[in-house]
Amino acid sequence: MVVNKIRLPFIALAVVMSLLLAACGSSGKNSASPSPEASKLPATRTVVDDLKREVVIPTSPKRIVAGEFAQELLALGVTPIGSGENGFKVVFTEAQMKGVERIGDPPSPEKILELKPDLVIASTVFLDIYKTQMENIAKIAPVYYISFDQDPINDIFSKVADLVGKQQEARDWIASYNKETTAAREQVKTALGNQTVSIFRVEKGRLRIYLNRNFAGYMLNTGLQVKAPDAVAAEIAKNKNGSAIAISMEQLPQFAGDHLFLIVRGEGADKTAYDEIAQSAFWKNLPAVKNGNVHLLDTDKYYGSDVVTIRETMKEAVRMLTGK
């Protein structure tokens, strides 16, 4: 029939148009709403550590062994599965370190293999003193090396945060720390005026002045920004991340501040060495000794140069220096 001959082309055209519209609609939907798989982050990424090595690490590491820097992880809300011995020496985080496995000193590749980490964080010192062990550990998991020769908060802490995807947490922590530090500096400046402060350690056969890093040096000189004796300030100027220098007894008056922070163990050979120094004319004639401004520090408490120790010991130092 004529009618049927006319209708068939229209029906065929309608079918084709429907298919085209369906295809376009399907294509538009896929481009606007990608599949869950397409929106996932890559499993790994490449970073550059402080040895200038490119290291492929998990984008979201879950099982981290901290040869060092366990406290930085804890400050970010991340608990490592294993830690080097220094991580267990920080008194402020003892409770948080319960359940964390010890990897030994030197670090044990066998122990780390047992822990099955997806990332190992270590100081560059590890590769110098534990070369064979670290080469074996690198076969188990990617190793990211961080140097101590940099600012412990703005550099080291920020790098650890980037490794574990906690950049915002680090920024928040640093902002809070900076606020506390600004207030603490004002308190100390008001109390001391132009008086100087230095920190040293007595050990058997060795007397060391601490500069701007571990054993509270960073906390005093960068955090509180106390005025250092000229001799100490000159040494810090040579290396702002320097740890300590050894001095002789004859040099003590030159390096001693109006306030002295003193680190010495309460027993053993170190205590004997301190008792001998305390009887010397060099010691008795120091202004800090004459004025009762010698502040004895708990060696274990002031051991670390991590961000937690820096922040907590700063609070105690303020109380010592201001008498409040």
Side-chain angles (χ1 to χ4, degrees):
M1 296 175 55
V2 176
V3 175
N4 288 341
K5 287 181 180 179
I6 295 173
R7 290 178 59 192
L8 284 174
F10 282 103
I11 293 171
L13 179 61
V15 170
V16 171
M17 291 298 293
S18 297
L19 290 173
L20 287 173
L21 288 171
C24 290
S26 175
S27 175
K29 183 177 181 181
N30 287 340
S31 62
S33 303
S35 65
E37 288 75 19
S39 63
K40 286 182 178 177
L41 292 171
T44 62
R45 63 188 179 108
T46 301
V47 293
V48 179
D49 69 8
D50 285 346
L51 293 177
K52 307 304 180 186
R53 300 159 57 250
E54 289 191 347
V55 187
V56 179
I57 68 169
T59 300
S60 300
K62 303 298 182 187
R63 299 182 59 80
I64 304 169
V65 166
E68 293 280 3
F69 315 113
Q71 278 60 46
E72 281 70 19
L73 289 170
L74 292 173
L76 295 166
V78 177
T79 302
I81 58 172
S83 172
E85 289 305 305
N86 283 341
F88 296 95
K89 294 178 180 179
V90 177
V91 300
F92 304 104
T93 56
E94 286 178 343
Q96 292 171 275
M97 290 295 287
K98 288 181 179 178
V100 177
E101 298 282 346
R102 294 176 182 267
I103 62 171
D105 183 15
S108 166
E110 292 78 15
K111 180 62 179 179
I112 291 175
L113 178 62
E114 176 187 317
L115 292 174
K116 299 178 180 177
D118 54 17
L119 176 64
V120 176
I121 305 174
S123 74
T124 53
V125 176
F126 272 41
L127 196 56
D128 294 332
I129 61 178
Y130 306 131
K131 184 175 176 62
T132 300
Q133 289 89 346
M134 294 311 299
E135 287 176 347
N136 288 328
I137 290 168
K139 298 173 184 177
I140 300 169
V143 180
Y144 186 96
Y145 287 103
I146 297 178
S147 170
F148 280 122
D149 190 20
Q150 57 191 318
D151 189 286
I153 292 177
N154 297 309
D155 296 326
I156 291 176
F157 187 44
S158 295
K159 287 179 181 180
V160 173
D162 179 70
L163 289 176
V164 297
K166 297 286 186 177
Q167 295 92 332
Q168 186 57 54
E169 287 82 351
R171 287 191 287 268
D172 292 343
W173 191 98
I174 292 172
S176 176
Y177 164 80
N178 286 339
K179 185 177 180 180
E180 286 182 11
T181 303
T182 299
R185 286 174 189 165
E186 289 301 317
Q187 292 180 56
V188 171
K189 184 177 180 180
T190 299
L192 298 187
N194 288 320
Q195 295 180 68
T196 58
V197 184
S198 57
I199 177 172
F200 69 98
R201 183 172 187 178
V202 178
E203 297 172 285
K204 182 182 179 181
R206 184 165 66 168
L207 178 62
R208 287 187 291 170
I209 292 288
Y210 283 93
L211 302 176
N212 196 33
R213 202 178 76 198
N214 58 354
F215 290 96
Y218 181 91
M219 176 272 291
L220 281 174
N221 294 300
T222 295
L224 292 178
Q225 295 183 354
V226 295
K227 184 178 180 180
D230 290 343
V232 175
E235 292 297 331
I236 293 174
K238 293 177 186 177
N239 180 5
K240 68 177 182 178
N241 297 313
S243 176
I245 59 166
I247 65 169
S248 65
M249 277 292 295
E250 290 74 16
Q251 292 176 296
L252 184 56
Q254 178 183 352
F255 284 87
D258 297 308
H259 287 257
L260 290 179
F261 281 80
L262 174 63
I263 297 172
V264 59
R265 295 196 178 278
E267 57 186 17
D270 292 355
K271 175 64 164 58
T272 301
Y274 167 64
D275 290 341
E276 292 174 358
I277 289 175
Q279 296 304 314
S280 70
F282 286 110
W283 176 261
K284 291 180 179 180
N285 287 323
L286 293 176
V289 175
K290 289 181 177 180
N291 296 323
N293 291 330
V294 177
H295 309 278
L296 295 174
L297 306 181
D298 183 329
T299 305
D300 293 333
K301 185 183 291 185
Y302 283 77
Y303 178 83
S305 59
D306 59 276
V307 295
V308 177
T309 297
I310 289 168
R311 191 172 194 172
E312 294 304 318
T313 56
M314 179 180 70
K315 299 172 185 176
E316 187 171 272
V318 169
R319 290 193 294 270
M320 291 180 182
L321 293 171
T322 63
K324 298 179 181 179

